[in-house]
Amino acid sequence: MQNPAYLMTGLLIVTGLLMVAALVLALGVAPDPVNLATPTERFAQRIFYFHVPNWWVGFLAYLVAAVAGALYLVSRQERWDAVGVSSIEIGLTFNTIGLISGSLWAKPTWNTWWTWEPRLTTAAIGWLMYVGYLMLRSAIENPQRRARFAAVFSILAFLDVPVIFLAVRWWRTIHPVVIGAEGGQGIGGFALGPTIQLVFFVCLGAFTLLYVTLLWMRLRTEFLSHRVERMRQRLLFR
Amino acid sequence: MQHLCKIGAIIAKDLAAELRTREMLGAMFVFALLVIFIFNFAFELRAENQRALAPGVLWVAITFSGMLGLSRSFIREKDRGSLEGLLLAPVDRGVIFLGKMLGNALFIVIIDCIILPVFVVLFDIPAAALPQLAMIAILGTLGLSGVGTLFSAMAVHTRAREVLLPVLLFPLIVPVILSAVKLSAAVLDRLPFAEVQSWFSLLVVFDIVFGALSFLFFDYVIEE
Amino acid sequence: MIEIRGLVKAFGSHVVLKGLTLHIGAGEFMTLVGPNGAGKTTLIRILATLSRPTAGQVLLGGCDLTADPMTARRMIGLVSHRTLLDDDLSGEQNLLFYAQLYDVAHPKTRVEALLRQMGLWGRHHDPVRTYSRGMQQRLAIARALLHNPPVLLLDEPDTGLDRHAAETLGMLLRQADLGQRTVLMTTHNLEYAAAWGERVAILVNGQIVSQIHRAEITLATLRAQYDQYAAPV
């Protein structure tokens, strides 16, 4: 990186523009799906452009954290721990937003804020696991031990997510599966036309870029705080 | 063979120490009973809904009292310094993990064995269901104590100690609780095994996979 | 016997040991003094393989600690200010358990001999919880000597002992030392450090600042040196 400050500003501007474009496309350009009956349902459907990319980012963030955890255990380099905690903080934020936006959509569509459906349940349990991750970190003072425990936990938690999902899935599901399924299944499902698909992938790209930007910024603060800590130690224990 | 002897020695030591005081087993047993009683008060379990809630009550009792035992497991060692004594010995870390894990599992299985007959009496369940329930209890207990032992070793090195263990452990063992409850319900409802076979496989696979992962990660947790 | 080269241990950005170098010959009894937080316990924990060095090397009779901790563990006996024992079990049960872990041959006879040597045979069936502090510390020494290790590490073994118990401890240690054992002991008590050690090292702020040999050790010289280096800033 020659000029991280310029790169950072550039990335910020691109991400911002793409997010605005995604917003305009999702609310203004994308057509109503053909098979949704009531106006409320059609209106609520537009959350799809944010809700799904949002979950994608959450998943990606947890995946990145698990990989960073494995890399930390192998290499013992502080920076992988920084990547892990930064990624999980972002993932948890998106996880929280996803739970709220999902509830907002579920009320008009399923006529309930919450139901014990596999995806919802898994999301809620995942949320609890990663809140536990942050609690674990905050309860350990020794930085190397904190990094080790966090790495172990983030790997185990990530591997557990599909198992939990599978377990909860054997109850009946009502969540719509719109991607890779004909015409949409589940209550509130809908068909994906070509424009809808295009808008959706723009949104997905925008959110992924948003994740990268946030991770980068969070990492920078993490590294800066490490530097401050090292300088403080050098002054105190010369 | 040598490893097996040492695993056995660790289990025997924990068991001998516990049998001298019996404070942990006693507390776990009373706690499990209390959970069953409290559920009876809280849900006013009458004849018609008793059977439906029984598996849930049983597994809440087992997991909660198991948590009690697991959280003590390393706190005892740490406070006395005997954990360091173990780490000083020329013994593979995997041996220490297996010794502690099987010891923990043994304590919980002892509680299972006492609580199951009580449960059968209180919920008016045919005694013929006991062997199957016991097998499910053992499988569930193994799932609980694999990750549980790893997290117990983690929690003891944190400031929050025993408070942290349930927070970390409960979300991860959701698959164990779910499948154990489903299997127990199937036994009570006398469903054919084929209908719940997938739950059985899930439980066994979870026990093996997460047991093995905990075994592998234990080294990272106890080193300094 | 113990060769420490450029040992560094950091907890995050806090560096406890700063390139410590020390050589202890075979059969030597070395005492290590220093103020709180100087890194004494950290050093002992690294030598006992309980803690990993951040950098540097420790050789124990030619065996690299980090490369082959299993071999090293067989060569080390550790007595710390805690007993490292399970206090719900009896003294004998504790030692028999550790004898199994260390693959001691004829554990029964070995344990009995050690308990007699430490003057604990009369209480060998009682739980460790009921022992006095002095007896617990003697049992801890028996535990450390169980596998007859060539190296004995003592981390403030005199903590919490009254004068009489500490004298007994010193006597037992010198007895145990007869078998050509290499001993490294940390303590806060300059008197014991001067009386028991063949060589005294002063550890301040993660580095060895001074070493005094037997010929020059008197309590007065040690005290003067200690005050010179370890005076609070």
Side-chain angles (χ1 to χ4, degrees), chain A residues 56-71:
Chain A
W56 154 248
V57 170
F59 177 81
L60 181 69
Y62 292 150
L63 171 70
V64 167
V67 172
L71 286 172

Side-chain angles (χ1 to χ4, degrees), chain A residues 3-80:
Chain A
N3 266 319
Y6 286 127
L7 256 172
M8 181 111 205
T9 323
L11 187 65
L12 260 175
I13 292 170
V14 173
T15 310
L17 287 176
L18 202 58
M19 285 303 286
V20 172
L23 196 68
V24 171
L25 283 175
L27 294 181
V29 177
D32 280 336
V34 284
N35 64 337
L36 290 182
T38 65
T40 345
E41 264 190 299
R42 281 200 291 274
F43 181 63
Q45 177 270 336
R46 290 190 186 268
I47 210 169
F48 158 78
Y49 299 107
F50 300 102
H51 185 65
V52 179
N54 184 63
W55 278 116
W56 154 248
V57 170
F59 177 81
L60 181 69
Y62 292 150
L63 171 70
V64 167
V67 172
L71 286 172
Y72 176 80
L73 290 182
V74 173
S75 72
R76 305 294 170 119
Q77 282 168 345
E78 227 173 48
R79 57 171 176 216
W80 293 120

